[in-house]
Amino acid sequence: MKFDMPIIKTDENNIQVQFGAGDILIGSGMMGDYEQGLVTLVQQESKPIGTYVKHENPFVEMEAIPVSLIFQNVESLDVLIERLQKTRKYMTGELDIKSEIE
């Protein structure tokens, strides 16, 4: 599946984010009174994957962020990290997803 835009809202109101072309800026930070962790996904001009972009203003209006992942505790962040690591193992063939669902 190929998208013209890396971040789209479907007709069913789902947000889909297509990674792999260097056109999504993945930001990290804190929210509120520095009590919540934050990961943001914003469309950008295509750059080499992993390019670090320093923001001149680290305080961004949340309305300008199409996708935000907000973590109220480290445990919830750990679960996301674990699922991403597992997905990586599926993609590299280290784990077989078919054998896990049978």
Side-chain angles (χ1 to χ4, degrees):
M1 181 183 318
K2 176 77 173 114
F3 297 111
D4 293 330
M5 303 277 292
I7 301 173
I8 63 165
K9 188 172 191 176
T10 69
D11 293 337
E12 295 81 24
N13 287 326
N14 296 320
I15 301 294
Q16 296 180 349
V17 183
Q18 179 76 28
F19 294 91
D23 52 358
I24 297 175
L25 175 64
I26 304 174
S28 59
M30 298 294 290
M31 268 187 72
D33 291 332
Y34 303 101
E35 298 170 348
Q36 298 175 330
L38 176 68
V39 174
T40 59
L41 307 175
V42 178
Q43 185 173 338
Q44 69 176 0
E45 293 280 329
S46 190
K47 297 180 181 343
I49 294 172
T51 299
Y52 181 78
V53 176
K54 183 173 179 166
H55 288 283
E56 294 189 20
N57 178 5
F59 303 100
V60 179
E61 295 295 324
M62 290 303 292
E63 296 80 29
I65 307 295
V67 180
S68 300
L69 307 176
I70 301 168
F71 300 92
Q72 298 204 15
N73 54 54
V74 172
E75 294 81 11
S76 59
L77 178 59
D78 288 341
V79 171
L80 177 62
I81 292 168
E82 183 272 328
R83 298 303 190 273
L84 290 169
Q85 290 172 333
K86 192 168 193 175
T87 300
R88 186 181 194 290
K89 289 178 181 179
Y90 292 146
M91 292 178 73
T92 63
E94 189 175 337
L95 285 177
D96 180 16
I97 193 169
K98 292 177 187 173
S99 66
E100 290 195 4
I101 59 175
E102 293 175 346

